[in-house]
Amino acid sequence: MSVASGEEERAFTREDVSHFCSREKCFVIVHDGVYDVTKFLKQHPGGEEIIMEIAGGDATTRFVNTGHTSDARALLATLRVGRLHKPA
Protein backbone atom coordinates (compact mmCIF):
# COMPACT_ATOMS: atom_id res chain seq x y z
CA MET A 1 0.00 0.00 0.00
CA SER A 2 3.00 2.30 -0.24
CA VAL A 3 2.78 5.36 -2.46
CA ALA A 4 3.74 4.40 -6.01
CA SER A 5 6.20 6.51 -7.91
CA GLY A 6 4.43 9.28 -9.76
CA GLU A 7 1.22 9.02 -7.72
CA GLU A 8 0.07 12.03 -5.76
CA GLU A 9 0.44 11.38 -2.06
CA ARG A 10 -2.59 11.37 0.14
CA ALA A 11 -2.55 14.14 2.73
CA PHE A 12 -3.43 13.18 6.31
CA THR A 13 -4.14 15.47 9.22
CA ARG A 14 -2.82 14.55 12.66
CA GLU A 15 -6.41 13.75 13.59
CA ASP A 16 -6.71 11.35 10.62
CA VAL A 17 -3.57 9.52 11.69
CA SER A 18 -4.70 9.35 15.31
CA HIS A 19 -7.52 6.98 14.31
CA PHE A 20 -5.03 4.33 13.11
CA CYS A 21 -3.78 3.24 16.51
CA SER A 22 -4.56 -0.45 16.75
CA ARG A 23 -2.79 -3.67 15.89
CA GLU A 24 -5.31 -4.07 13.06
CA LYS A 25 -4.36 -0.72 11.47
CA CYS A 26 -1.36 1.19 12.76
CA PHE A 27 -0.03 4.42 11.28
CA VAL A 28 2.79 6.64 12.54
CA ILE A 29 4.24 9.97 11.44
CA VAL A 30 7.98 10.33 10.86
CA HIS A 31 9.40 13.57 9.43
CA ASP A 32 5.98 14.61 8.09
CA GLY A 33 5.52 11.33 6.23
CA VAL A 34 2.68 8.98 7.17
CA TYR A 35 3.52 5.28 7.38
CA ASP A 36 1.35 2.19 7.69
CA VAL A 37 3.43 -0.02 9.99
CA THR A 38 0.68 -2.59 10.63
CA LYS A 39 2.39 -5.49 8.86
CA PHE A 40 5.74 -4.61 10.44
CA LEU A 41 4.57 -4.68 14.08
CA LYS A 42 5.45 -8.33 14.72
CA GLN A 43 8.77 -7.98 12.86
CA HIS A 44 10.05 -4.93 14.78
CA PRO A 45 13.30 -5.95 16.49
CA GLY A 46 12.40 -3.96 19.62
CA GLY A 47 8.96 -5.55 19.84
CA GLU A 48 5.58 -4.34 18.71
CA GLU A 49 4.86 -2.62 22.04
CA ILE A 50 7.45 0.06 21.24
CA ILE A 51 5.49 1.04 18.15
CA MET A 52 2.11 0.66 19.83
CA GLU A 53 3.15 3.26 22.44
CA ILE A 54 3.21 5.87 19.65
CA ALA A 55 0.62 4.36 17.31
CA GLY A 56 -1.45 7.04 15.63
CA GLY A 57 1.05 9.73 16.55
CA ASP A 58 4.37 11.34 15.70
CA ALA A 59 7.25 8.89 16.03
CA THR A 60 9.93 11.20 14.63
CA THR A 61 11.83 11.84 17.86
CA ARG A 62 11.88 8.20 18.88
CA PHE A 63 12.84 7.05 15.39
CA VAL A 64 15.72 9.54 15.16
CA ASN A 65 16.95 9.11 18.75
CA THR A 66 17.04 5.33 18.44
CA GLY A 67 19.66 5.61 15.71
CA HIS A 68 17.99 3.40 13.13
CA THR A 69 20.20 1.94 10.43
CA SER A 70 20.04 2.86 6.76
CA ASP A 71 18.27 -0.48 6.22
CA ALA A 72 15.60 0.52 8.74
CA ARG A 73 15.15 3.90 7.03
CA ALA A 74 14.85 2.17 3.65
CA LEU A 75 12.25 -0.23 5.04
CA LEU A 76 10.29 2.67 6.51
CA ALA A 77 10.21 4.34 3.09
CA THR A 78 8.43 1.28 1.65
CA LEU A 79 5.67 1.70 4.23
CA ARG A 80 4.85 5.30 3.32
CA VAL A 81 1.17 5.90 2.55
CA GLY A 82 1.09 9.68 2.48
CA ARG A 83 2.22 12.96 3.97
CA LEU A 84 1.18 15.08 6.89
CA HIS A 85 -1.09 17.94 5.86
CA LYS A 86 0.13 21.26 7.17
CA PRO A 87 -2.51 23.97 7.18
CA ALA A 88 -1.51 27.18 5.42
Side-chain angles (χ1 to χ4, degrees), residues 2-73:
S2 65
V3 176
S5 179
E7 276 185 38
E8 185 170 332
E9 282 191 305
R10 178 175 169 193
F12 292 87
T13 65
R14 287 185 184 276
E15 182 178 356
D16 294 335
V17 176
S18 73
H19 296 287
F20 299 103
C21 58
S22 71
R23 285 177 172 78
E24 289 73 38
K25 200 62 159 172
C26 183
F27 285 14
V28 295
I29 301 164
V30 177
H31 293 298
D32 297 331
V34 177
Y35 301 88
D36 181 349
V37 296
T38 308
K39 292 181 181 176
F40 181 67
L41 288 173
K42 292 189 185 297
Q43 300 169 356
H44 188 263
E48 66 184 278
E49 284 307 316
I50 301 234
I51 296 174
M52 290 309 301
E53 289 174 5
I54 50 168
D58 195 324
T60 303
T61 300
R62 285 192 181 185
F63 188 82
V64 171
N65 289 347
T66 302
H68 284 90
T69 65
S70 59
D71 287 345
R73 291 189 298 275

